[in-house]
Amino acid sequence: MSTDHISSHSRQSVLTLFFPMVIIAVLAMTLRPTLTSTGPLLQEIRLSTGISLQVASLLVVLPMLCMGVFPLLLPWIGKRLSESVWITGGLFAIALAGLWRLELASGWTLIASTLLGGIGIAVVQAMAPGVVKRWYPQRVPLAMGIYSASLMAGGGSAAMLSPLVAQHYGSWQAGLGIWLILPVIALLLWWLRPSEEMTTKHSNGKINFFSNRRAWLLASYFGLANAGYACMIAWLPSYARGLGWSAQDSGELIGIMTIFQVIGALAAPALSASRLDRRPWLFFAVGIQVLGFVGLMLMPDSMLILWVSMIGCGLGACFSLTLTVALDHLSAPSLASALTAFVQGIGFIITAIVPYLAGFLREWTGSFQAVWIMLLITLVGMLLVTIKFAPASYAKAINLPNV
């Protein structure tokens, strides 16, 4: 065998292994800037548009609802178009929402752009775990860790940089709209993906998880795991500004949280990869959030960065581990994709409700303390549920008559 042939084969192996991972990472990075870019600029947005706190909560609630509704519709509408068409359309919607945000004139047009972006996010996010499972069937924890970390890195970057962009251009609209760049890059990479990757239509139309208790348990767990994240990106900047932080500093606080989210999202799946039982790391992920929220309630001024870092680490680990546990339940990529679609669907509907309740509690009590207490209660419930995720129970728990 010639040296040139070996070199060509090596290059092809590297391309096959790493280029799909780059695509997954960039796809994931498009999924949060629509949500996280608004929080640090919320004061400027409210002064400019006059929207209330509860209306402002729609900037997070609407995308979360979209993330919940679309995966539930996927068994019916997913088979009508190919995976490639759905992901391409979703990325276009996110990019168009960003373009629209550059020229916003009112609060309600901002809400409408958020809805458009939320639909695109929901489409791409529903497809992504199935892509991960199919492209990396032997490396699911690692691939899900990179997917989760990239998702959070995209969100954190938007929170940190949006105030700087807004300040530079003298417009909060620019701080929001700049993020159309990411879906444009993702579109280019998606179109350049290896030609052998699946472009067929979804075949999950006959799979129904609505009658399965384990699917509901996983979905509820996932929803509550993301509720803390939704509340933090929606209200942490406002909370920090109430303590005297500037718009830029409050955005950087989200950035700090994101750094630890990325650490948690990468480290927890990697550390748990050697064994199928993910529960010890789930206990850690939930427990460190409990400590963080307790600290946020008792000593917010002196150690805010520490508490936010702990919460971020727990949120990142919890997100990637929960999706990994869902994928662990079924070995076939198509079935695992259908289960994660259900988990994300019901889960994000639950997630969407919580920041809206948080906004109501904040306006009703005049303080964020009630919000942190609500999240603590959900975390204690998650600790109790974690016990049930023993690998020996997977096959029996997820056994469906029609699978």
Side-chain angles (χ1 to χ4, degrees), residues 84-95:
S84 179
V85 171
W86 279 115
I87 291 181
T88 299
L91 292 172
F92 263 117
I94 301 169

Side-chain angles (χ1 to χ4, degrees), residues 285-307:
V286 177
I288 196 172
Q289 289 180 72
V290 169
L291 295 176
F293 279 112
V294 169
L296 207 60
M297 291 176 60
L298 300 180
M299 291 180 288
D301 293 297
S302 59
M303 304 178 71
L304 184 59
I305 292 177
L306 174 62
W307 309 133

Side-chain angles (χ1 to χ4, degrees), residues 152-191:
M152 293 158 191
S157 298
M160 284 192 296
L161 298 178
S162 290
L164 295 176
V165 174
Q167 184 179 19
H168 179 76
Y169 289 101
S171 164
W172 58 263
Q173 289 92 338
L176 305 186
I178 190 70
W179 299 104
L180 71 89
I181 294 171
L182 284 177
V184 170
I185 295 172
L187 275 168
L188 293 175
L189 290 175
W190 180 251
W191 290 336

